[in-house]
Amino acid sequence: MTRDLITVVLEDDHAVFAVRQVGRDVAEAVGLDELDRIRVGTALSEVGREIVAGGRQATISFRLDDGVGLVLDLSYSEGPRKVAAAGVLLAGRLMDTVDHDDGTRRITMVKRVPGSRDLAEGALGEIRARQGELTPAGVLDELRQQNRELASALEDSQRQRQNLLRLNAELEETNQGVLALYNQLSEELEETNRGVVALYAELDEKSAQLREASEARNRFWATISHELRTPLNSVIGLVRLLLGPGGEELSQEQQLQVELIGSSAQTLLALVAELLDMAKAESGRLTPQPAAVDVPALADRLSMTLDPTSADRVRLTVDVRRAPRTLTTDEVLLSRVLRNLMSNALKFTESGEVSLTAYTDGGEVVFVVADTGIGIPDELQQRVFEEFFQIPGPVQTRARGTGLGLPYARRLTEALGGTLQLTSVPGEGTTVTVRLPLTPVTDNPQTG
């Protein structure tokens, strides 16, 4: 929105002083502060002096533009020479913008008005009324007015200087506080760094101890493998000789005892093999050997092997019709995983059913071993994957486990690039889900 305020005619040098006063009054009416009022009046007097110096006359229009500010339009008549640039340049230093077009004999000066200003019509009316009463001021009067303005400006400058000194003192005090805080933080950071270095040293020491412990355990398993496998194989061989067709005839009780010895030896040999496989998986030396596996044939072998171990009250079922007929993976490791899960389920199931199902799910083959056994409490379902962990309390089943079946199965599953998950409800049964990729993983972290 643009509002025309007042128009003043500039005719001679004496009128310049009156125009200066009008400029200050208009600037005050639109809300400019004292220094800006002085700047507007001085800019008008300097430009007006250059205009009338060449015998020209000028018309000065004041308007308030909400989008721009206080606008002063000066239109002057022709003269014998151009308007000198000195006054216009000085006005440019006092006003926000000054545009001079000597061709159209027009000078436009703008002073921005801070914020949204409402011009009081009463103040504007007083300015217009005083315009006719303004008489050209003498040089002494104008000089006196300029001296008052200069004194006011000096006082304002002195106040600003005192404010700057105060601000500098506050800034210096603040800098001292910041410097003290910086020094304190630097000391704390240095102390923290020393603690971090000490922690890293301790971690390196612990890592070295863990490596030594791992190497010692590997050496232990290698020794156990040699020291236990040989006598166990000898025991198993002797049992076969005693029970074979060339041996002496044994009584029923003797045959039962010999079979028990052979079964125990087989169990110990399998336990040693599981421990060695787990040690290899942890150290990254258990490398799967992928090959084409006949899934139905593998399921039939597991069923024939494990079905005799189930009691009359436990039914073993196998359903792999929805699985691919051929899967590329390590058949030995997969057989060990499923055999452990199924034998574990049979061991802890008094009555009901143990089932093995397999199906394809996207890019994976899913094997599910479910039973109707005793189940596992929620708070222990993660702990059963800890080596040698056994569920506490009486277990109303035919046998107790060693605490290696589930950790062993999970290690082998991860070595094959798959996952093993367990869900269970106490008193209702347990379900273990094994997911293997259809395409074997060639760069598995477990294989090193």
Side-chain angles (χ1 to χ4, degrees), residues 214-242:
S214 179
E215 293 173 358
R217 186 177 61 175
N218 291 337
R219 289 193 299 270
F220 171 75
W221 289 132
T223 303
I224 289 295
S225 173
H226 176 73
E227 297 296 333
L228 290 183
R229 281 175 182 268
T230 301
L232 287 174
N233 284 324
S234 299
V235 171
I236 293 171
L238 291 173
V239 169
R240 289 173 180 171
L241 288 175
L242 291 173

Side-chain angles (χ1 to χ4, degrees), residues 15 31 107 171 290:
I107 299 175
L171 182 60

